[in-house]
Amino acid sequence: MTTVYMSLNCSNCSSPLQLPPGANSICCAICHDTTLAADSRSSPPPPALSYSSSGQDDHDHPPHHPSQVVPSGPSPYNHAPPGPPPAVHGTKRAVICGVSYKNTKNELKGSINDVVCMKYLLVNRFNFPESSIIVLTEEETDPYRQPTKSNMRLALSWLVQGCQPGDSLVFHFSGHGSQQKDQNGDELDGYDETLCPTDFETQGMIVDDEINEIIVKPLSHGVKLHAIIDACHSGTVLDLPFLCRMDRNGKYVWEDHRPRSGEWKGTSGGEAISFSSCDDDQTSADTSALSKITSTGAMTYSFILAIERGHATTYGSMLNAMRSTIRDTSIELRGGIITSLISMFLTGQTFSGEITQIFLQEPQLTANEPFDVYSKPFSL
């Protein structure tokens, strides 16, 4: 018989929770109170899905995905990471999520590659222990490592659970992103940004309000979070209060994106910085045009390349290098359309559509507080 999640409300703030199989308690990401299974009260079903898409074969167009089998067995998320408590100098943890929407007409070819490359970067360049990295992809055999909405929520809650001063946390997502009508009036443009898990059609998308509640607001003093989001409409997908508006000459100003309602969308004293693939009204590409070898997300590729080429000195140099990589590729493709067309016939590769998508894409930087991007050192 199929095992199902138990729906319950937080015993303190009444937020809806999903208790994984095998767990007898769960920590609320909103108020951080622990709810026992005995405290459970039925919660309402998830709201109906609503999204907009451009119809392009990019990270903006959420695909259909068959119904998911809910995993059974003990959950790995209802406890802190294994080992002794974090040392005073800090620990490193990461959640890396790549959704390929396999076997659908809108399958993404680069998401799994993005995950492999990002994990290698974190382990070998920034000394993240492999045991402290949770990878969610459809290729994982562990059912709790499938990138479903519930598993993504649980993994993000795990990421910030028990964080202490000196901790460095990373969330990387490569997949489809979209928008839906803002329901609580905290968006200047009237739309919430979303990430699409594999089961978004039945469980709904993960909205920026929830991402902010889970991994931004709980960050206490001395804790640092970096998000690397490779998806369409992802400019403010963490709902961080400030966006770095940079022109092509590298000049920048910080835009204030705090809600008019006065609701605080920042941290509890910690630091949150997000690199995203494009502005809220832009799309992002899943392409082989950059690596010339295999498909990758344009943003993930440019992020890693900036580090490998020694541009990871400051946040400003990182952002400029990422934008230059994508812009130069766009110019190369646009200037060599004749050559690209010939290559299509000779090699079977297709860059049609990818050219337009890369043109529309400019990586963005958001943060919980404004800072001098050319003096603040970049580090994970």
Side-chain angles (χ1 to χ4, degrees), residues 121-188:
L121 178 81
L122 293 179
V123 171
N124 292 281
R125 292 284 182 179
F126 295 100
N127 299 314
F128 277 66
E130 283 198 58
S131 60
S132 295
I133 299 176
I134 286 180
V135 174
L136 302 178
T137 73
E138 288 127 303
E139 293 189 351
E140 295 293 316
T141 56
D142 184 343
Y144 283 103
R145 299 295 191 259
Q146 293 288 310
T148 63
K149 183 175 183 178
S150 178
N151 284 347
M152 285 181 62
R153 281 172 160 176
L154 290 168
L156 291 176
S157 295
W158 169 87
L159 182 65
V160 299
Q161 184 177 358
C163 57
Q164 295 186 12
D167 284 359
S168 177
L169 315 176
V170 170
F171 170 46
H172 172 242
F173 177 86
S174 178
H176 285 304
S178 192
Q179 292 179 303
Q180 65 183 30
K181 194 69 176 177
D182 174 32
Q183 300 296 326
N184 60 0
D186 68 342
E187 295 285 348
L188 299 180

Side-chain angles (χ1 to χ4, degrees), residues 160-380:
V160 299
Q161 184 177 358
C163 57
Q164 295 186 12
D167 284 359
S168 177
L169 315 176
V170 170
F171 170 46
H172 172 242
F173 177 86
S174 178
H176 285 304
S178 192
Q179 292 179 303
Q180 65 183 30
K181 194 69 176 177
D182 174 32
Q183 300 296 326
N184 60 0
D186 68 342
E187 295 285 348
L188 299 180
D189 62 358
Y191 288 93
D192 283 317
E193 284 63 53
T194 64
L195 300 180
C196 299
T198 56
D199 57 353
F200 76 94
E201 287 196 315
T202 57
Q203 299 302 311
M205 298 180 286
I206 300 180
V207 183
D208 51 11
D209 297 307
E210 181 178 8
I211 298 171
N212 184 275
E213 288 282 355
I214 295 176
I215 64 173
V216 174
K217 289 186 178 179
L219 298 175
S220 56
H221 180 73
V223 180
K224 178 172 59 178
L225 167 73
H226 284 91
I228 302 102
I229 309 297
D230 201 340
C232 285
H233 306 299
S234 56
T236 62
V237 76
L238 262 67
D239 259 2
L240 293 173
F242 299 96
L243 182 144
C244 179
R245 187 66 70 189
M246 181 179 288
D247 65 19
R248 294 198 171 192
N249 296 317
K251 295 180 180 179
Y252 73 94
V253 295
W254 284 98
E255 287 184 353
D256 190 338
H257 282 246
R258 286 175 291 185
R260 296 186 183 95
S261 65
E263 179 185 1
W264 176 238
K265 290 283 191 170
T267 69
S268 297
E271 185 175 26
I273 298 174
S274 174
F275 286 97
S276 53
S277 62
C278 58
D279 212 345
D280 286 344
D281 61 353
Q282 294 178 336
T283 59
S284 60
D286 183 59
T287 178
S288 58
L290 284 90
S291 72
K292 305 296 192 297
I293 299 172
T294 187
S295 291
T296 63
M299 185 269 179
T300 300
Y301 181 88
S302 66
F303 179 85
I304 294 174
L305 188 66
I307 294 171
E308 293 297 317
R309 288 184 172 176
H311 298 298
T313 52
T314 66
Y315 288 89
S317 62
M318 273 289 294
L319 188 60
N320 273 310
M322 292 166 62
R323 289 183 165 194
S324 294
T325 296
I326 293 175
R327 185 165 55 245
D328 292 348
T329 302
S330 298
I331 293 172
E332 177 186 338
L333 288 175
R334 182 171 53 182
I337 283 180
I338 300 298
T339 304
S340 296
L341 288 172
I342 293 173
S343 297
M344 289 183 210
F345 287 112
L346 295 179
T347 67
Q349 288 183 309
T350 59
F351 297 132
S352 59
E354 293 181 8
I355 299 174
T356 302
Q357 290 168 35
I358 296 175
F359 286 160
L360 297 174
Q361 181 172 353
E362 281 190 318
Q364 302 292 324
L365 177 71
T366 57
N368 66 297
E369 295 287 352
F371 56 87
D372 184 344
V373 299
Y374 291 117
S375 65
K376 185 177 178 64
F378 169 81
S379 65
L380 295 180

